[in-house]
Amino acid sequence: DEAIRIADLAQQMGIKAQDLIKNLIGMGVMATINQSIDADTAAIIAADFGYDVEKIGFSEKEFLAPVHEDKEEDLRPRPPVVTIMGHVDHGKTSLLDVIRKSHITSGEAGGITQHIGAYHVTTPRGEIVFLDTPGHEAFTAMRARGAQVTDLVILVVAADDGVMDQTREAINHSKAAGVPIVVAVNKIDKEGADPDRVKRELAEHGLVPEEWGGDTIFANVSAKKKIGIDELLELVLLQAEVLELKANPNRRGVGHIVEARLDKGRGAVATVLIQAGTIHKGDAFTCGLHAGKIRAILNDQGKMLKEAGPAMPVEVQGFDGVPDAGDEFVVVADEKVARKISDSRKGKQREKELAKETKFTLDKFLAAK
Ligand code: GDP
Ligand code: MG
């Protein structure tokens, strides 16, 4: 499992990589400068050059505290994290817009959601965090990486259009992830709106309304005319209550990347959804292949924060590179540890890529024969 790159081994012994490779060939090992050899081979080679190789195991697990499970008494209620899904043009952006009482739709090029943001909303009944996904890619990408960030899905279905391809897709994604759905039947202000038809179509897909003996919550809304919005939010909070969402705010912060980008002035920045613990300005962290130290925390209003706790979506500055959506964000003891973990991950990644390349070359070689 332990391996060392030939270039690194040669450098550590102060010899030319070519000489090392020559010795390897003598042992019947064919390798190039960027490839890795296992620790045992490295030890034999090093002995040839008069060196002893000391194996120092590195397991990032021991650094990724806390390793313990949270105690029940440390858990506190946290707001639900909600993703709005549905067919294109059924009103996802409009609904989010009216919920935030801002104007996302008008600022979008062509009216299509440009990227994922995450927003924190306070209602008289409680707080809700919304993720604004472009289509369903973000949701799928995160699930593919094992990141479960959404507690609830609001499925938007236009009352004049009914169940469409992306409606079915959204249902399948939510079911596969085990995330409950609240249905928002939108555009009920429109002529030709038929909310009952939407109910019948969704019932056929297993989303049976409560009044028909099922357990799916439906809300009739109009994002345009601002009808039924408060009721929808109340129903979302009601559904969330059943889930008894809790987190321990008093531990090192962990979360997932919702979106990330390279900012001209501020370098790599990312929206992190904190899922447990609290992050603080100055904390060292690892995130996917990257590491860093939190230079600034901003909330969805652009306000600078000193810290952020569970279910809060915040923009974090201080990454040494742009992470991927779905990457896990973990606060660690200090920058040295953060660097160590990211170096170890980068090394493993490089090995994987080289293994792929080698296999590819070998495949070509075999195919040519
Ligand atoms: P998205 O693709 O799901 O994000 O849909 P949008 O929010 O961009 O809405 C698509 C179109 O439907 C826009 O022209 C909206 O103005 C319109 N729309 C959204 N909600 C409603 C509604 O409740 N009633 C009516 N009449 N039109 C709506
Ligand atoms: Mg949209």
Side-chain angles (χ1 to χ4, degrees):
D1 189 34
E2 294 294 322
I4 184 163
R5 220 158 60 102
I6 288 174
D8 295 338
L9 181 63
Q11 196 201 359
Q12 280 176 34
M13 293 194 296
I15 61 167
K16 280 197 192 127
Q18 272 75 6
D19 293 337
L20 209 159
I21 290 167
K22 253 185 238 159
N23 264 47
L24 278 169
I25 291 170
M27 286 171 66
V29 178
M30 309 296 266
T32 61
I33 183 160
N34 280 316
Q35 281 177 321
S36 296
I37 51 174
D38 61 58
D40 293 333
T41 310
I44 296 168
I45 280 288
D48 278 353
F49 290 93
Y51 285 91
D52 268 339
V53 170
E54 194 185 345
K55 268 209 259 182
I56 303 169
F58 174 75
S59 161
E60 59 177 66
K61 272 199 200 98
E62 61 192 281
F63 296 105
L64 295 176
V67 282
H68 65 270
E69 290 285 306
D70 286 316
K71 290 197 211 91
E72 186 61 36
E73 68 252 37
D74 294 331
L75 299 178
R76 301 283 173 275
R78 64 160 178 87
V81 179
V82 177
T83 302
I84 297 184
M85 295 174 95
H87 197 69
V88 66
D89 282 346
H90 279 199
K92 298 180 295 293
T93 304
S94 304
L95 192 60
L96 194 70
D97 188 28
V98 69
I99 289 169
R100 290 181 71 204
K101 297 188 178 66
S102 64
H103 304 278
I104 304 170
T105 311
S106 56
E108 277 181 10
I112 296 162
T113 309
Q114 291 298 308
H115 58 249
I116 339 148
Y119 312 98
H120 175 239
V121 171
T122 306
T123 81
R125 283 295 183 95
E127 298 173 28
I128 307 174
V129 173
F130 284 94
L131 301 183
D132 185 17
T133 57
H136 303 145
E137 298 95 40
F139 192 83
T140 321
M142 285 204 205
R143 276 201 45 235
R145 324 188 87 228
Q148 180 86 11
V149 293
T150 304
D151 302 308
L152 254 167
V153 163
I154 294 181
L155 181 63
V156 179
V157 187
D160 62 336
D161 206 20
V163 171
M164 303 297 283
D165 280 352
Q166 285 164 285
T167 317
R168 282 184 279 272
E169 232 176 74
I171 295 170
N172 291 337
H173 285 320
S174 309
K175 275 188 185 161
V179 178
I181 293 173
V182 171
V183 178
V185 181
N186 190 33
K187 306 199 188 186
I188 55 158
D189 62 288
K190 271 184 102 168
E191 216 177 301
D194 189 352
D196 271 342
R197 191 189 112 206
V198 174
K199 274 187 187 165
R200 281 196 303 276
E201 288 176 357
L202 285 173
E204 280 169 26
H205 288 85
L207 298 177
V208 183
E210 284 181 315
E211 68 259 39
W212 295 357
D215 56 8
T216 304
I217 294 174
F218 280 70
N220 287 342
V221 301
S222 164
K224 192 175 185 176
K225 297 272 164 74
K226 301 185 173 66
I227 302 167
I229 306 301
D230 289 344
E231 289 85 344
L232 171 67
L233 297 182
E234 258 175 51
L235 291 171
V236 163
L237 284 166
L238 208 69
Q239 177 77 49
E241 253 172 46
V242 178
L243 302 174
E244 293 188 53
L245 304 165
K246 286 176 184 171
N248 176 6
N250 298 309
R251 59 180 247 186
R252 276 190 206 155
V254 295
H256 280 95
I257 301 299
V258 172
E259 65 161 20
R261 66 179 197 282
L262 197 62
D263 186 278
K264 265 188 192 161
R266 297 170 300 166
V269 295
T271 304
V272 183
L273 181 75
I274 310 302
Q275 291 173 290
T278 299
I279 64 164
H280 310 264
K281 196 180 162 185
D283 280 352
F285 63 86
T286 64
C287 187
L289 295 178
H290 302 286
K293 186 176 178 180
I294 300 177
R295 208 166 53 223
I297 305 171
L298 280 83
N299 69 7
D300 55 328
Q301 315 289 318
K303 193 177 162 223
M304 286 272 191
L305 307 176
K306 283 207 180 83
E307 55 180 40
M312 282 303 116
V314 285
E315 185 182 285
V316 170
Q317 297 171 22
F319 287 80
D320 70 0
V322 182
D324 291 322
D327 275 350
E328 198 181 16
F329 180 98
V330 185
V331 170
V332 294
D334 55 46
E335 273 183 289
K336 236 166 109 179
V337 167
R339 193 74 45 212
K340 217 171 152 165
I341 292 173
S342 98
D343 282 349
S344 154
R345 287 178 181 174
K346 278 180 186 153
K348 280 191 185 132
Q349 171 89 356
R350 203 160 46 204
E351 271 165 39
K352 250 192 234 158
E353 274 159 20
L354 280 167
K356 250 189 255 160
E357 273 171 35
T358 312
K359 187 175 178 299
F360 179 69
T361 322
L362 206 68
D363 283 348
K364 267 207 329 210
F365 173 73
L366 292 173
K369 274 193 94 174

